[in-house]
Amino acid sequence: MSDNDHAVRTEAFFSLHHGLPRQCPGSDATTRRLLELTGPSPRRPRVLDLGCGPGRAALLLAAEAGAEVTAVDLHQPFLDELREAAGARGLGDRIRTVRADMAELSGPDFPDGSFDLVWAEGSAYIIGFDTALRDWKRLLAPGGSLVVSECVWTTDDPTAEARAFWEQETSMRPVAGNAAAAVSAGYHVLGARVQPDSDWDEYYVPLAERVESAEVSAPGMAWALAATREELAMRRDHGTEYGYAGYVLRPADPRWATRAETAADTAAVHAVNAAAFPTPDEAALVDALRADPAAWLPGLAHVATDGPDGDIAAYALLTRCRVGDAPALALAPVATVPEHQRRGAGQAVVRAALDAARLRGESLVLVLGHPEYYPKFGFVPASRYGIRPGFDVPDEAMMALVLDESAPVPQGTIRYPAAFGV
């Protein structure tokens, strides 16, 4: 295909999508949920919306999060549409449009460390998920987050027809595969959410109506209509095999190296827990849990070290517990040696342990802890899910974190390993 043919087809594709409410599966509810997963933000967060299209997410972030949004797209008519909508809503001073290629973000508009949020709903596939993770990290300010959505397999065995269709466009992974790629690229996964079918309807229903009324004689339009009809048919016939997933990612704290505990760490881990708490009980608890094959899960005890070869500064342990008869994880203990407390080592090791739990397919983590500390990881009172301990504690201190929102959350009483003595 010549460059001219490609340009004609691209223009026809954009023409088919002009004026539609969305350019990919999504919803305001999903945008809000992804924003919620990023946690507390500055009063006026600086947001870079990449592949913004006509700006549905940019408008919401400016209006509801008070964000100052830099909205980037290569298609000028989308940017014009966004500017008009921003002005009509009184958001013209909060949204700045930039015509640029997301694969070549250079110059004064895109300095290192200049954005609290980098947002890319339905656009990262253009340069590739892994490339986006690598190239966009430098744009984030300390504590900033990357929010990106990507098409994923939702079955372990997709049909040949679905594979053949999607592998023309992108190399798709399951949800956990992209999460693993993010961890390997130096991020923590704050959340991963498969979007509901209604998000596809918000995109495809208006698009299907547009297909039926489009003027086929326009240059390139016959191709654009055929390609779109094929995509709509693929969703109709194979929609249970794939979906869109939103990921909320944060670069790991470079001050701390994290890894799974090894057998060589046993004595040092004991010493860390003994130093972190006023009694030896937590150190003894770890030793007892390590000896219990029903509780101990290889790879879910993590350490943070002061540099790759440094001493262990912090420790976090996840062991098997149950809510009723359903499996869950108990986060305890979390320990930081006194000289490294309040320096981020504890946060780093907790996030590393939660990443490991997510990657092995765990769906629920429980913690009994400080209600002003653990919510920063996404924990909320367990009572919201109908989960309770078998002993009396303040409601706000018994917390739960759902790692997989597509799985049902069990209700009932928490059953801890015997070593906890409760």
Side-chain angles (χ1 to χ4, degrees):
M1 181 172 57
S2 69
D3 290 345
N4 183 64
D5 289 340
H6 183 270
V8 168
R9 288 183 174 186
T10 299
E11 182 57 35
F13 176 83
F14 281 131
S15 176
L16 188 62
H17 285 74
H18 281 165
L20 294 180
R22 293 194 173 273
Q23 309 302 315
C24 69
S27 64
D28 290 350
T30 288
T31 298
R32 292 187 182 103
R33 178 56 181 151
L34 295 174
L35 178 62
E36 180 184 10
L37 289 170
T38 66
S41 64
R43 186 177 63 87
R44 294 197 71 170
R46 299 160 298 169
V47 176
L48 178 63
D49 187 359
L50 294 171
C52 64
R56 188 70 175 259
L59 292 165
L60 186 150
L61 293 169
E64 298 188 12
E68 297 176 351
V69 182
T70 300
V72 175
D73 207 282
L74 262 179
H75 191 56
Q76 187 62 46
F78 283 157
L79 298 176
D80 294 341
E81 187 177 337
L82 172 54
R83 274 203 300 267
E84 182 178 350
R89 301 183 190 196
L91 300 171
D93 62 334
R94 293 192 180 181
I95 297 177
R96 181 172 68 97
T97 61
V98 177
R99 186 175 184 271
D101 186 343
M102 70 174 71
E104 299 178 7
L105 299 173
S106 59
D109 289 319
F110 309 108
D112 291 357
S114 54
F115 296 98
D116 303 301
L117 280 173
V118 173
W119 201 276
E121 287 193 55
S123 60
Y125 79 93
I126 295 170
I127 65 171
F129 186 80
D130 294 352
T131 300
L133 297 183
R134 182 194 67 208
D135 292 354
W136 297 346
K137 185 192 291 186
R138 69 168 185 84
L139 299 165
L140 289 168
S145 299
L146 170 61
V147 176
V148 57
S149 64
E150 181 80 351
C151 206
V152 295
W153 295 120
T154 54
T155 177
D156 293 333
D157 189 26
T159 59
E161 293 83 359
R163 282 192 179 277
F165 177 82
W166 284 109
E167 287 176 358
Q168 299 175 81
E169 305 292 335
T170 184
S171 179
M172 276 169 49
R173 302 182 178 115
V175 176
N178 285 333
V183 171
S184 295
Y187 292 86
H188 293 305
V189 181
L190 278 61
R193 181 178 190 268
V194 176
Q195 298 172 215
D197 287 343
S198 57
D199 280 14
W200 290 82
D201 293 339
E202 289 214 20
Y203 174 42
Y204 275 164
V205 170
L207 179 59
E209 293 173 353
R210 177 67 57 79
V211 165
E212 294 309 312
S213 62
E215 177 51 64
V216 71
S217 63
M221 187 57 70
W223 170 86
L225 290 171
T228 303
R229 287 190 175 106
E230 183 183 11
E231 183 176 333
L232 293 169
M234 178 57 58
R235 183 65 186 175
R236 181 194 65 222
D237 297 338
H238 297 277
T240 59
E241 300 176 43
Y242 61 91
Y244 247 86
Y247 298 86
V248 180
L249 312 172
R250 181 166 296 160
D253 188 335
R255 297 174 297 173
W256 307 103
T258 58
R259 57 174 175 79
E261 173 193 302
T262 70
D265 296 322
T266 300
V269 165
H270 186 97
V272 166
N273 281 280
F277 296 100
T279 75
D281 293 349
E282 281 76 12
L285 172 63
V286 173
D287 293 339
L289 289 168
R290 194 182 287 113
D292 181 357
W296 191 263
L297 299 169
L300 292 189
H302 271 66
V303 299
T305 61
D306 190 4
D309 301 315
D311 292 335
I312 295 176
Y315 180 76
L317 176 61
L318 292 164
T319 51
R320 176 65 71 216
C321 68
R322 295 190 176 274
V323 176
D325 293 326
L329 296 176
L331 173 59
V334 174
T336 304
V337 294
E339 60 266 32
H340 289 305
Q341 290 177 2
R342 296 178 176 82
R343 293 183 54 207
Q347 289 190 50
V349 77
V350 169
R351 292 204 184 279
L354 295 175
D355 286 339
R358 191 185 300 276
L359 296 186
R360 63 171 275 142
E362 300 288 342
S363 60
L364 178 65
V365 181
L366 303 164
V367 66
L368 175 61
H370 202 295
E372 294 184 3
Y373 181 73
Y374 287 99
K376 70 180 63 179
F377 305 102
F379 285 92
V380 299
S383 59
R384 293 187 188 179
Y385 300 107
I387 298 171
R388 60 189 181 276
F391 47 89
D392 290 333
V393 295
D395 182 73
E396 66 273 14
M398 187 75 249
M399 290 169 276
L401 172 64
V402 175
L403 298 177
D404 182 0
E405 294 187 8
S406 68
V409 180
Q411 298 182 356
T413 302
I414 305 167
R415 294 163 48 201
Y416 283 96
F420 281 90
V422 294

